[in-house]
Amino acid sequence: MQNLGHDLTVITSTPKVAYEGIATAHFNRRWDVSGASELIGLVKGSRPDALVVQYVPHAYSERGGGLAVALLLRRLARSISVPMVVNAHEVYGAWTESAKRIPWHLSQRFAAVILASSAEAFVVTIKRRQGELKRFLWPWTERVKLIQIGPTVPAHAPDPDWRRRHGVADGTFLMTSFGLGHPTQAVTQLSAVLDTLAAGGVNARLFIAGRLDVVHPLVTHLGYVSSEDAYQLLAAGDVFVLPLADGVSSRRSSVISALAVGAAVATTAGRDTDLDLFCGGGVAMSPSGDPDAFAELVLQLATNAEARAGVTRLGRELFSSTFAWPVVGNMWAELLEQAAEQNIRKRKARNVWLFSAAIDRKRVNPKRFRP
């Protein structure tokens, strides 16, 4: 958005956060209605044309109910004269997770209703979720929009000595992966992948950044790394591997960041996978929930350099046409401009109605009026 010439202000509760060329304001209260006055003041002080709310229920409270922050944002939306757009990376959990989580699932769904009724647009990143939310939020179905995310790892100049400095011998098939250990990341399959590669005569290693619970002698855990180190990791690998229980989708920033670097990606297709988007060969996929099929997929990529190069080439095309920030940024700019224009039209219509109502009241003769 900044590259498109828009001015940005970030309001955050994270201390000591600064972004180059972007104004930053700090919110020091709890994310509930008790902090409404301060948040309203911060938003009004920045005088925006539109307000974008990054929404993940667990980002605002450990329990992740979402209801408290939804009520706060509803109060905010009613107190400002600019449109609010909700960017919902996650919305609510599945009923099948746990019976003990039912109160939180209900709270998350109530929060989604409150946000959709208060916002000018409700943006999600997965096509299946868009369809699901259009049915669930049927009174506001036109507000539910789909915009995929872009890469979260900034580009750097590749380090040609990265493999040598990390003890990766020549001829080693290097797999890379990273993530935060979300239950949908089926990383327990990666140990089986390493065993399958070893049985197939492939000298392989796996380097992991972040927090993925994979125990195997051929795995090196780097822990949390800088954005530059994450880029160098992706650039140094032969294949980025990430099996997913719900399938690859346009909300998986790790996969999209790997595509941005130009890595060949091996992943899985599941219920969240938009086949129209991912079936063109830009990522190599096997069915989710089938560890043997995923291990065989990676073995084929390891032993067939031509197939691996084809996945890399198609992955670059997929990224540049769909996930590159100029593409995503233009979609956001168009949505926000439409939201701002629609908000202006609504305000003008409301002013006309109020003016008309005021004239009608003046025409009433109190002596002749009867209720």
Side-chain angles (χ1 to χ4, degrees):
M1 296 297 290
Q2 191 178 24
N3 291 338
L4 293 173
H6 297 281
D7 294 326
L8 304 176
T9 297
V10 173
I11 297 176
T12 178
S13 57
T14 304
K16 299 180 181 179
V17 169
Y19 304 94
E20 185 178 353
I22 298 176
T24 304
H26 288 89
F27 177 63
N28 300 311
R29 300 290 297 275
R30 292 176 55 185
W31 289 98
D32 56 32
V33 291
S34 66
S37 297
E38 180 177 334
L39 185 58
I40 291 169
L42 288 174
V43 173
K44 287 185 175 180
S46 65
R47 302 180 64 184
D49 296 305
L51 173 67
V52 178
V53 175
Q54 303 288 345
Y55 180 72
V56 181
H58 290 87
Y60 298 96
S61 69
E62 292 183 0
R63 291 187 173 184
L67 193 55
V69 70
L71 292 171
L72 169 63
L73 294 172
R74 181 179 180 85
R75 171 84 175 274
L76 173 64
R78 290 183 169 185
S79 302
I80 59 177
S81 57
V82 298
M84 182 175 75
V85 176
V86 175
N87 183 23
H89 188 63
E90 294 180 2
V91 186
Y92 47 68
W95 292 111
T96 55
E97 281 185 8
S98 169
K100 295 180 180 179
R101 296 285 301 172
I102 287 177
W104 283 268
H105 295 329
L106 288 171
S107 176
Q108 289 170 349
R109 283 160 174 79
F110 277 126
V113 170
I114 291 170
L115 291 173
S117 65
S118 306
E120 199 72 42
F122 194 90
V123 179
V124 294
T125 55
I126 303 174
K127 187 175 182 179
R128 181 194 64 80
R129 184 170 293 167
Q130 182 192 28
E132 179 183 291
L133 283 172
K134 280 192 170 187
R135 292 188 294 272
F136 177 62
L137 302 172
W138 59 267
W140 310 282
T141 182
E142 295 301 320
R143 300 182 187 182
V144 182
K145 309 294 184 181
L146 175 66
I147 300 180
Q148 62 276 8
I149 63 173
T152 54
V153 177
H156 295 270
D159 179 2
D161 293 327
W162 191 96
R163 293 171 70 114
R164 179 187 57 80
R165 289 190 295 102
H166 287 80
V168 180
D170 292 343
T172 300
F173 180 71
L174 178 60
M175 297 180 293
T176 62
S177 191
F178 71 82
L180 298 177
H182 194 276
T184 58
Q185 295 171 336
V187 293
T188 55
Q189 298 182 21
L190 295 179
S191 293
V193 169
L194 287 164
D195 292 338
T196 299
L197 292 176
V202 178
N203 178 25
R205 291 183 64 183
L206 171 61
F207 276 64
I208 295 175
R211 190 180 70 238
L212 298 181
D213 188 17
V214 183
V215 180
H216 195 281
L218 296 176
V219 172
T220 299
H221 289 275
L222 300 176
Y224 293 102
V225 299
S226 67
S227 61
E228 181 174 1
D229 288 337
Y231 181 90
Q232 301 300 346
L233 171 69
L234 294 173
D238 295 299
V239 170
F240 177 83
V241 290
L242 188 62
L244 297 160
D246 52 2
V248 65
S249 67
S250 50
R251 81 177 181 94
R252 295 293 179 177
S253 59
S254 51
V255 171
I256 294 166
S257 295
L259 291 173
V261 174
V265 173
T267 184
T268 53
R271 65 189 183 94
D272 277 352
T273 302
D274 181 355
L275 294 178
D276 292 336
L277 190 61
F278 287 101
C279 70
V283 296
M285 297 186 296
S286 65
S288 62
D290 190 340
D292 293 338
F294 184 71
E296 184 63 29
L297 172 71
V298 179
L299 178 61
Q300 291 175 4
L301 293 174
T303 55
N304 190 332
E306 185 177 348
R308 195 164 66 244
V311 173
T312 300
R313 176 178 56 81
L314 293 173
R316 287 195 177 104
E317 294 176 3
L318 172 63
F319 173 77
S320 62
S321 65
T322 307
F323 298 112
W325 274 120
V327 177
V328 177
N330 279 320
M331 294 177 71
W332 269 104
E334 183 178 349
L335 174 64
L336 293 175
E337 288 168 4
Q338 290 175 353
E341 291 172 1
Q342 187 171 349
N343 184 64
I344 291 172
R345 287 195 298 269
K346 286 182 178 179
R347 289 170 59 191
K348 286 182 177 179
R350 182 172 179 271
N351 289 338
V352 169
W353 184 87
L354 289 174
F355 180 69
S356 175
I359 292 176
D360 289 342
R361 283 197 297 271
K362 288 181 180 179
R363 289 175 178 171
V364 172
N365 185 337
K367 295 181 180 179
R368 299 179 58 186
F369 178 73
R370 295 290 185 272

